[in-house]
Amino acid sequence: MIPESADRPAAGNGESAPHSVFYEELVTRNAGVVSADEQAALRNATILVAGCGSIGGAAVEPLTRLGAQRFLVADPGTFELNNLNRQNAVAADIEQNKAAGAAERIMSINPHARVTVFTEGVTASTVQRLTAPSQIVIDGVDVTTADGWRAKHLLHRVAAQRRLPLITGWDMAGTQYVRCYDYRRIREPFAGAITAADIEHVDTWNLLRRAVPLRRVPAEMLAEIRANHMRTDYSFPQVAYTATAFGVLSSHMAVRLLAGRPVRQEISLDVHQMARPLGERWLTRLRWPVELAALVPPIVRLMRGPGAR
C-alpha cells in the first residue's frame, strides 16, 4: 500500500492520477479483508459479464470497487422504465444499451479500467471473442424468451469447453439463488440438467424448473407460479434488494474463484425470511409444502405438454 507521505490522487481528480497510484488508493481499504493474492488476482483478471440487467448489472459495481479493472460486458437490451426498480440505471439511461451503461458505470468508478462492450450480446459470432480473454464468467443472460435461453446455453457450452468458472443467479421474490458452475471441474453445460435439445423442445417453465431446484423456490414464488403459469404475458416480479444480493454474493465468490479458492456450488439467500420474526418464519415454512402441493397439478400438465388437462 502507499505510505502516508506518498502522493495520493486529489479528491475528484482520480482520472488525472497515475494508474498505479490511483489503483493502490482505490483498494487500500480492502486490506485485511481481501488478501494480497486475491487483490492481485482481481487486478489482473478479465471478467466477462454477460447480461447487464438485474443480476449482471448488480455484479458490475462491487467487482469494480473491489479492484477488478478488465471487463467484457455484453447485452443486446436497452434500459426501460420498469427496470429502474432494481437495475443500476437512472431515468436518463432509459433507451441506453445495458452493456454500454455498465461500461460507463465501471469507468466512472475507475477511469483507468479497460472495458470492451458487445451491444449484440452473446451470439454465435461473439461468444468466442467474449470468452477467449476471460478468466471467469458472470452469467446474467435473460431467460424470459427462447432466444435468451439459446444465448444462455451457448454461453455455458463455450464456458464448459474453455473450462471457465461461471456464476449465475435467479431472482425469486425475496430469494436470490446463486449457482456456481465451475467448468474447470464440471464437463457438461448446466451439469447436464439442460441440453441444447431441451432449449428447442422444452417450454420456459420446465427449463426454469430444471435450472432451479424446487426446494430453493420460496412459498410466495410458488404461489405466483401457480396463479400465473398459463399467462403468456407474465413477467416474474423482481425487486431491488434481491437483485442487489446477487452482486453481494457473486462478487465475493468471484474473488475466491480467481484466487484459486473453492466456493459453494449453491447459495440461497432469502431476505424476506431473514427479516421475519420467528413466528412468521415458522408459518412461512409451514406454508411452503401447501403451496408446493397446490402447484403439482399445473407442473404435471406442463410436463405432459400443450393441451393436457
Side-chain angles (χ1 to χ4, degrees):
M1 294 302 172
I2 302 173
E4 290 295 325
S5 59
D7 290 337
R8 295 175 181 267
N13 196 32
E15 190 169 358
S16 63
H19 185 187
S20 60
V21 174
F22 178 93
Y23 189 86
E24 292 297 328
E25 180 68 7
L26 173 67
V27 302
T28 189
R29 297 293 289 272
N30 289 354
V33 178
V34 179
S35 68
D37 62 326
E38 289 172 337
Q39 195 66 69
L42 274 170
R43 182 171 188 164
N44 296 318
T46 297
I47 298 174
L48 167 58
V49 181
C52 301
S54 294
I55 61 172
V60 163
E61 188 164 331
L63 283 168
T64 306
R65 295 188 186 282
L66 280 165
Q69 56 180 0
R70 298 176 185 171
F71 289 89
L72 298 100
V73 292
D75 198 310
T78 57
F79 290 114
E80 301 174 4
L81 179 56
N82 65 66
N83 296 154
L84 303 191
N85 79 315
R86 66 195 184 280
Q87 298 187 20
N88 284 341
V90 296
D93 297 325
I94 292 173
E95 297 185 358
Q96 181 189 33
N97 174 266
K98 292 182 180 182
E104 286 185 5
R105 180 59 61 92
I106 292 166
M107 298 301 294
S108 68
I109 298 168
N110 181 354
H112 299 283
R114 290 187 288 175
V115 189
T116 306
V117 177
F118 289 77
T119 58
E120 317 96 303
V122 178
T123 68
S125 62
T126 64
V127 69
Q128 299 296 341
R129 287 180 287 151
L130 287 166
T131 55
S134 303
Q135 281 78 60
I136 192 167
V137 179
I138 304 296
D139 167 24
V141 175
D142 179 55
V143 292
T144 59
T145 66
D147 284 343
W149 271 106
R150 291 186 187 102
K152 197 178 196 75
H153 201 277
L154 173 62
L155 178 66
H156 282 245
R157 291 201 305 273
V158 177
Q161 291 166 7
R162 292 191 178 276
R163 303 183 69 177
L164 296 172
L166 180 150
I167 304 170
T168 191
W170 311 84
D171 294 2
M172 299 175 290
T175 295
Q176 180 60 243
Y177 171 66
V178 180
R179 177 67 193 267
C180 175
Y181 294 95
D182 192 341
Y183 289 120
R184 295 170 298 186
R185 299 173 178 85
I186 299 171
R187 293 292 179 262
E188 295 181 272
F190 292 96
I194 302 173
T195 68
D198 292 334
I199 300 299
E200 301 302 328
H201 301 295
V202 177
D203 64 72
T204 298
W205 288 105
N206 270 310
L207 290 173
L208 288 169
R209 183 179 58 82
R210 295 184 187 190
V212 182
L214 274 173
R215 70 182 186 280
R216 301 296 191 183
V217 182
E220 57 262 56
M221 185 55 70
L222 292 175
E224 274 286 309
I225 295 170
R226 179 167 54 86
N228 296 285
H229 71 279
M230 296 299 294
R231 289 177 52 190
T232 57
D233 63 339
Y234 179 66
S235 296
F236 280 103
Q238 295 174 286
V239 292
Y241 46 82
T242 312
T244 300
F246 179 80
V248 172
L249 294 167
S250 65
S251 57
H252 177 60
M253 293 170 74
V255 170
R256 291 184 60 91
L257 288 165
L258 288 169
R261 295 189 173 91
V263 300
R264 289 171 57 184
Q265 189 173 331
E266 297 177 282
I267 299 175
S268 184
L269 177 64
D270 189 335
V271 177
H272 290 179
Q273 195 72 331
M274 292 178 72
R276 290 171 178 136
L278 185 60
E280 191 176 345
R281 289 173 67 180
W282 277 107
L283 287 173
T284 301
R285 289 174 182 168
L286 293 172
R287 179 190 171 194
W288 190 89
V290 175
E291 293 291 353
L292 179 61
L295 185 60
V296 167
I299 288 178
V300 171
R301 286 195 295 270
L302 283 169
M303 292 174 66
R304 288 175 177 168
R309 293 289 185 270

